[in-house]
Amino acid sequence: MNARPNEEAHEEPPAGGAPARRDELALLRLLADTVPVAIAYYEAAGVTCRMANRRYAEMFGFAHEREIIGRPLHEIIGAPATALIEPHRKRVVEERVSVIYEREVTGADGERRNVEVRLLPHAGETGASVGAFVQIADITHHRRAEAALRESEERLAKFMHASDEGIVFHKGGYITDVNPPLLNLLGYTLAEMLGRLTLEFIAPEAQQKVAEVMAAAPDTRYDSVAMHKDGTRIPVQFIVRTMHHQGELQRLTIVRDLRDRLEAERRIQHLAHHDALTGLPNRLAFGERLERRLEQARASGESLALMFIDLDHFKRINDSLGHAVGDTLLKTVAARITDALRVGDLVGRFGGDEFLVLLAPRAGAPAVGEVAARLLAAIAEPLQAAGGVAISVTPSIGVAMFPADGATPAELIQHADQAMYRAKSGGRARCRFFEAGMAEAALAELALESRLALAVKQDEFVLHFQPQVALAWPGAGGAAAAGGEGEVLGVEALVRWVHPQRGLLPPDEFIPLAEARRLIVPIGAWVLRHALAAAVRWRDEFGRRFPVAVNLAMQQFQTPGFVDSVAEALHAAGADGSMLELEMTERVLIADLREVRAALERLAAMGVRLTVDDFGTGYTSLRHLKDLPLHRLKVDRTFVAGLPDDAGSVAVTRAITQMGHGLALQVVAEGVQSEAQREFVRGIGCDALQGVLLARPMPEAEMTAWLRRRLAGAASGDE
Ligand code: C2E
Ligand code: MG
Ligand code: MG
């Protein structure tokens, strides 16, 4: 060998040297083949391999170093690789410096390996380069490990950023990394969090538990409370893992914001126990609370009051104004009930338009009565619904006392319900306390209900009639619109049920029932037929017409073919349209304006007079009234009852009369019972009156006799 690989190999091995030298050579060879690097020596001239170990030969696909010694570089490592490393080779030879570079080598097995190549110059005695040593270390594993680490770091970074959940790394309790979602959640910047104690971001009450978990260092998950920078407590779940991160064992905690989940759970809980519309406890929840309150009251010996509140005619509002208005009304009523109560009272929605109220102990029935009065007033307060329509409902309230009227929730509710039922049949818009015997009355009501269907079949109704006469009002030159003072303008037909056991029942006791059971349509047809028959008999007897007024229920009016059925009834009775007047409440008229108008126009065309009954109690729907072919308004008898002393009644009656005249309608005062009332309604310009002052409703024979007397009196000049 001409070159010197190192200081030890300084002297040339003489060819065919002594046995000691040969041993030394063999040892060297052994050494060369044992080192974990591939080594070779190339002669500068010709770039030929002079020496190589086994590993080097194998690296380039040769079985033995003998196969490469004496060969030029490009034959060993290939032409492309030779070209690739040429700049390095040149530097080593020309500048005589060591060079280190990395490259990939594809081994005989086809596998690519990363190698680190070190070239060391070998200078001859003259100082010129005579060759170069090559050392090649396989760094594939190292590079792969590095790549793997880099990849996993990248993956982790990506994951930390992509995650919606907060992630924090901490070591020994100090924060080493935080992802943006967690910064967001807590309101800090990365700089503000790095290096700080994790516990600083935990709510004080939750710190002990967090410290314990950190000390024990298990992989676990638990709920805790984090603190936002602004001091807000945030319920969170921690999922804690131990992880290698940035070359160290660290704790990774996933921070899950529980607010949405807790909110959802709270909502589900709420929905199960509350009525979605009003937000009040529902029947179930109210029942549970009632049960608990009764237990407490039983222990303390206190007495409680349970109220059953049902809205009057709520169905009409839903039917005529739509469910959206109905919903608004229910919400408003719920709020008003709540506002009228004290802390400690309970409110719930029982269903539909029914509410339950449990009053905390108060000093006896008078105090409970006061609350009921307050509720009655608060609920009845008019409400502006969509479209500017003012609506109002009244409640009927029933009260049952604990323990006097019932020991269990079911019993109390049932008795309050029965009392409410009595409040309804007593005329609505009022409160009744439960009394023993109400149950029987309620049963009777039920019996009535089942009896009513039979009554329709068996013709158990009669009509009573009540006359209306003209009023001459001062300053108008007599009752110009209606007729001469005292002139009989017509007769109202009022139905009664001749109940086989209970005798004559007034309409208020069965008409609501008939409406609920859809029996009002056949009853109404019966009334129309018999009223017209009476009108025809009077015409025949007196030789003039006394129009008969018939009350219409909403359902009748809404029945398809209603107008035709009226025409048929007129025809069948041998009457003409001018002998009939139809009375309907504002509620009937408010329904669907176009349909209502079409029907009314057909009726008006037949000569039928159309009257708005009970005016002032329903919805103010002036716009509607103006567009309809109406003839008369009847001021509701509750206003007339307040005349002449009650200021509210005075104002309402006067306003209705003026408004009616403004719309060119006749105004009739109904329920006139006294001279004072008659003088008052005459004074404000009402056109006609009806009421017991003139005559009570009476059977047909009496009515006929009354008419006879009246006509005879008129003929003889006295009233
Ligand atoms: P309404 O149409 O307003 O009838 C007038 C009511 O006032 C009648 O009650 C009558 O008896 C009562 N009344 C008459 N004069 C006076 C008085 O001076 N003072 C007072 N306070 N009241 C007086 P009634 O007969 O009990 O009828 C009650 C309601 O039942 C009627 O009110 C009407 O809405 C309804 N109704 C009566 N008959 C029928 C019918 O055939 N069909 C329908 N759908 N409803 C009817
Ligand atoms: Mg009427
Ligand atoms: Mg009326």
Side-chain angles (χ1 to χ4, degrees):
M1 211 190 249
N2 297 339
R4 297 181 184 160
N6 49 38
E7 287 314 309
E8 283 79 17
H10 198 230
E11 274 145 299
E12 284 179 23
R21 290 282 275 203
R22 256 204 314 277
D23 283 355
E24 202 177 328
L25 257 177
L27 267 176
L28 264 175
R29 166 59 55 200
L30 197 60
L31 188 64
D33 286 344
T34 321
V35 292
V37 286
I39 48 180
Y41 179 83
Y42 280 87
E43 229 171 42
V47 202
T48 10
C49 181
R50 275 283 143 240
M51 202 285 276
N53 66 357
R54 179 76 45 86
R55 197 180 288 272
Y56 186 86
E58 284 170 356
M59 184 170 276
F60 297 105
F62 299 92
H64 202 276
E65 64 276 13
R66 278 196 305 272
E67 291 176 31
I68 60 172
I69 295 195
R71 286 215 206 190
L73 179 64
H74 64 90
E75 283 183 17
I76 299 168
I77 71 169
T82 307
L84 192 76
I85 67 166
E86 180 57 15
H88 302 304
R89 193 198 63 82
K90 266 181 96 176
R91 267 196 81 200
V92 174
V93 173
E94 286 168 12
E95 297 171 30
R96 290 191 301 282
V97 293
S98 322
V99 166
I100 300 177
Y101 59 90
E102 262 184 63
R103 71 182 191 92
E104 279 185 358
V105 171
T106 307
D109 53 2
E111 213 191 310
R112 296 166 74 79
R113 314 200 65 80
N114 295 91
V115 294
E116 187 183 70
V117 184
R118 213 175 261 270
L119 298 183
L120 306 165
H122 180 213
E125 263 132 41
T126 58
S129 288
V130 292
F133 297 96
V134 184
Q135 286 176 13
I136 303 179
D138 186 340
I139 56 165
T140 309
H141 285 296
H142 184 62
R143 283 285 170 266
R144 279 190 192 154
E146 265 180 12
L149 184 63
R150 202 168 44 243
E151 264 169 38
S152 92
E153 287 284 334
E154 273 166 14
R155 218 178 303 129
L156 187 63
K158 234 183 247 166
F159 169 68
M160 276 181 78
H161 280 74
S163 166
D164 280 341
E165 289 172 329
I167 298 174
V168 55
F169 278 94
H170 46 102
K171 190 170 182 269
Y174 289 92
I175 294 171
T176 57
D177 202 0
V178 184
N179 73 344
L182 188 55
L183 296 173
N184 254 343
L185 182 70
L186 300 182
Y188 290 95
T189 64
L190 184 60
E192 285 172 324
M193 287 191 76
L194 285 183
R196 287 184 47 192
L197 271 174
T198 41
L199 281 184
E200 292 179 50
F201 303 93
I202 304 294
E205 70 271 19
Q207 284 178 356
Q208 193 186 337
K209 164 94 196 230
V210 174
E212 279 167 19
V213 174
M214 288 209 293
D219 279 3
T220 181
R221 79 169 56 200
Y222 63 105
D223 290 355
S224 186
V225 185
M227 282 272 269
H228 188 273
K229 192 175 181 180
D230 67 12
T232 312
R233 285 171 159 66
I234 305 169
V236 290
Q237 185 181 55
F238 290 142
I239 302 166
V240 193
R241 295 284 179 270
T242 303
M243 261 195 80
H244 282 279
H245 181 52
Q246 289 162 355
E248 291 179 299
L249 214 56
Q250 298 201 352
R251 300 276 281 167
L252 159 111
T253 302
I254 295 172
V255 183
R256 195 166 274 175
D257 183 355
L258 292 186
R259 281 174 302 186
D260 286 353
R261 200 187 80 195
L262 293 179
E263 172 62 19
E265 280 171 7
R266 206 188 55 72
R267 271 206 64 74
I268 290 168
Q269 185 72 7
H270 187 87
L271 282 179
H273 285 85
H274 290 79
D275 160 55
L277 180 68
T278 60
L280 292 179
N282 60 16
R283 185 191 290 226
L284 175 87
F286 187 90
E288 287 169 3
R289 292 183 201 183
L290 178 59
E291 180 106 51
R292 280 203 297 277
R293 288 293 185 87
L294 293 191
E295 264 162 40
Q296 290 165 5
R298 218 170 272 130
S300 66
E302 280 167 325
S303 73
L304 303 171
L306 181 75
M307 288 182 164
F308 200 110
I309 304 177
D310 185 288
L311 302 183
D312 300 330
H313 303 304
F314 177 72
K315 196 179 164 303
R316 286 188 193 161
I317 292 179
N318 256 343
D319 289 349
S320 60
L321 297 179
H323 289 266
V325 173
D327 284 355
T328 309
L329 188 75
L330 286 175
K331 277 194 264 189
T332 310
V333 168
R336 287 176 180 177
I337 294 177
T338 309
D339 288 348
L341 298 176
R342 286 204 305 227
V343 182
D345 297 338
L346 271 187
V347 199
R349 182 164 173 217
F350 197 62
D353 59 346
E354 298 163 337
F355 298 87
L356 286 174
V357 170
L358 180 71
L359 298 184
R362 279 173 168 79
V368 174
E370 271 167 37
V371 179
R374 211 159 59 230
L375 286 173
L376 283 166
I379 295 172
E381 200 62 34
L383 154 107
Q384 287 297 122
V389 191
I391 50 173
S392 89
V393 275
T394 52
S396 293
I397 304 178
V399 183
M401 302 294 293
F402 172 87
D405 300 333
T408 64
E411 206 179 349
L412 276 177
I413 292 175
Q414 192 193 349
H415 287 167
D417 185 19
Q418 279 165 8
M420 184 279 293
Y421 209 75
R422 298 318 298 173
K424 288 244 186 235
S425 50
R428 300 190 170 84
R430 65 199 63 211
C431 169
R432 287 284 302 264
F433 281 72
F434 175 79
E435 289 159 20
M438 274 185 175
E440 290 86 271
L443 266 180
E445 206 93 16
L446 262 180
L448 197 69
E449 204 170 313
S450 45
R451 206 40 204 76
L452 190 59
L454 201 62
V456 174
K457 285 205 195 90
Q458 300 184 346
D459 241 12
E460 292 178 353
F461 302 102
V462 288
L463 288 182
H464 282 188
F465 298 93
Q466 190 178 34
Q468 293 160 14
V469 300
L471 277 172
W473 38 285
E485 168 87 23
E487 188 189 332
V488 180
L489 297 177
V491 171
E492 179 170 5
L494 297 159
V495 70
R496 276 100 183 83
W497 176 8
V498 193
H499 190 281
Q501 280 87 43
R502 296 177 54 193
L504 207 62
L505 295 184
D508 284 340
E509 283 198 32
F510 64 91
I511 293 282
L513 217 76
E515 291 189 12
R517 307 273 319 253
R518 299 210 138 256
L519 290 167
I520 192 68
V521 176
I523 295 176
W526 184 95
V527 170
L528 183 63
R529 208 163 58 242
H530 287 81
L532 285 174
V536 167
R537 282 191 284 275
W538 291 322
R539 181 194 61 192
D540 294 348
E541 174 170 348
F542 299 109
R544 54 160 290 193
R545 290 175 168 78
F546 294 107
V548 67
V550 169
N551 293 282
L552 277 189
M554 170 110 101
Q555 270 173 32
Q556 281 175 277
F557 197 76
Q558 287 172 340
T559 306
F562 168 71
V563 176
D564 294 332
S565 74
V566 173
E568 274 159 34
L570 284 170
H571 181 77
D576 58 74
S578 69
M579 291 162 73
L580 180 64
E581 175 172 345
L582 292 175
E583 294 192 2
M584 52 223 121
T585 60
E586 292 165 74
R587 293 173 183 104
V588 173
L589 298 177
I590 207 166
D592 179 333
L593 181 62
R594 274 186 35 220
E595 255 170 54
V596 168
R597 194 201 290 138
L600 294 187
E601 270 163 5
R602 283 184 60 203
L603 289 167
M606 283 153 50
V608 175
R609 282 200 301 189
L610 302 168
T611 298
V612 186
D613 202 357
D614 302 344
F615 192 79
T617 55
Y619 322 105
T620 319
S621 52
L622 284 178
R623 271 177 318 171
H624 284 69
L625 297 189
K626 188 170 80 344
D627 289 337
L628 297 174
L630 299 169
H631 299 86
R632 325 168 84 188
L633 286 187
K634 278 181 130 177
V635 183
D636 189 67
R637 59 185 187 274
T638 55
F639 300 123
V640 176
L643 299 177
D645 299 322
D646 178 62
S649 302
V650 166
V652 172
T653 312
R654 189 173 269 136
I656 290 174
T657 308
Q658 282 169 4
M659 199 202 76
H661 287 158
L663 294 171
L665 302 175
Q666 282 181 23
V667 178
V668 184
E670 65 176 5
V672 175
Q673 310 189 45
S674 68
E675 278 300 339
Q677 287 168 351
R678 186 219 305 248
E679 284 322 302
F680 184 89
V681 297
R682 185 213 300 275
I684 61 169
C686 284
D687 302 281
L689 72 77
Q690 179 181 346
V692 295
L693 178 68
L694 184 68
R696 328 194 140 267
M698 49 201 152
E700 185 185 338
E702 281 176 42
M703 185 69 233
T704 310
W706 187 92
L707 284 173
R708 261 185 222 131
R709 279 201 307 277
R710 187 83 189 177
L711 290 181
S716 67
D718 57 65
E719 203 184 296

